[in-house]
Amino acid sequence: MLTIGLTGGIGSGKSTVAKFLAELGAPILDADKVGHAIYQPGGPAYADMIDAFGQGILAPDGTIDRKKLGPIVFGDPAALKRLNAIVHPKMFARMGEMVAAMRAEGERKPIVIEAAILIEANWQALVDEIWLVVASKERVIERVERDRGMKPEQTEARIRAQLSDDERRRHAAVVMVNDGTLEQLRAAVAELWRGALERNAA
Ligand code: ADP
């Protein structure tokens, strides 16, 4: 049975594709949510993160406070690398368990893992194929400014900090070019999902 990794850069349209897939009945696993869950108290990354970054990252209630962690790791590549080295393997393990649990509970459809950092985090082994969403830089800048209020230079900086689409394409079985309308994207997603259901049944 098929597991699909859905990835793409900031503002490419991943979440929108995930939403369309969910409307078609696809079970979706959101890597961001898994990321948040693993550093909750009692979660698999909680103690390691305190060991690495100190009690100063904790809120009064003992949870890890992202607003305290953020300034420590952003702008310090070595610290960010340490954080990722703790969190990414735990997320990989957790998502693997979640897919296995869904299968054990009888899920027979393709499972979609939505993960912006699928390739950066080296999670390819979790999935059978990668679906990549791309959009031109102009479209991305315009959409995230319109919908998230991000300034073009902020968006450009984020794009520069990420893996390039050329690099992502090397890993992708499917590339969705999201430069058209939402309705065009929806139709492309429906077509891809039909194909996935067929491959999944084969
Ligand atoms: P990502 O999850 O990759 O960051 P989103 O799916 O959130 O990207 O898309 C970024 C923004 O662009 C969202 O507000 C979304 O509604 C909008 N968007 C995505 N695709 C299109 C499209 N084809 N036409 C117009 N707006 C789009």
Side-chain angles (χ1 to χ4, degrees):
M1 268 166 289
L2 208 56
T3 305
I4 295 161
L6 175 63
T7 195
I10 175 176
S12 58
K14 289 177 301 297
S15 315
T16 307
V17 169
K19 189 187 80 182
F20 290 158
L21 285 168
E23 287 169 8
L24 293 164
I28 314 274
L29 218 151
D30 179 347
D32 279 346
K33 287 195 188 137
V34 175
H36 292 170
I38 64 155
Y39 64 73
Q40 296 304 308
Y46 179 75
D48 287 354
M49 282 173 68
I50 297 170
D51 283 348
F53 300 108
Q55 303 275 340
I57 64 171
L58 295 178
D61 65 358
T63 56
I64 290 172
D65 185 345
R66 280 162 53 97
K67 286 199 269 324
K68 292 181 171 155
L69 183 63
I72 299 176
V73 294
F74 295 117
D76 180 350
L80 184 59
K81 212 169 159 189
R82 257 187 300 149
L83 174 67
N84 288 341
I86 295 169
V87 171
H88 290 173
K90 309 255 191 230
M91 290 174 72
F92 178 90
R94 184 76 195 108
M95 290 188 285
E97 287 164 12
M98 289 169 83
V99 169
M102 288 161 82
R103 293 300 182 209
E105 283 160 19
E107 180 60 72
R108 306 195 54 81
K109 286 184 212 156
I111 294 172
V112 178
I113 300 180
E114 178 192 351
I117 57 165
L118 185 80
I119 298 162
E120 290 89 327
N122 207 16
W123 291 336
Q124 292 91 323
L126 275 179
V127 303
D128 301 302
E129 53 186 62
I130 293 177
W131 292 9
L132 171 66
V133 191
V134 299
S136 70
K137 194 160 94 179
E138 292 68 34
R139 289 288 95 72
V140 168
I141 288 174
E142 165 191 303
R143 287 171 186 162
V144 301
E145 183 166 34
R146 182 193 64 200
D147 298 338
R148 297 181 201 164
M150 270 176 74
K151 292 265 164 294
E153 49 280 15
Q154 268 179 295
T155 310
E156 291 218 41
R158 289 278 291 276
I159 293 171
R160 275 197 303 274
Q162 293 175 340
L163 210 61
S164 70
D165 278 339
D166 283 346
E167 182 58 38
R168 290 193 182 100
R169 278 173 186 267
R170 282 194 245 249
H171 299 265
V174 167
V175 179
M176 277 171 267
V177 179
N178 180 24
D179 281 336
T181 65
L182 283 169
E183 280 322 302
Q184 285 169 327
L185 182 64
R186 186 194 293 276
V189 169
E191 187 59 38
L192 280 168
W193 183 243
R194 264 195 298 279
L197 289 175
E198 279 172 18
R199 288 198 300 289
N200 190 53

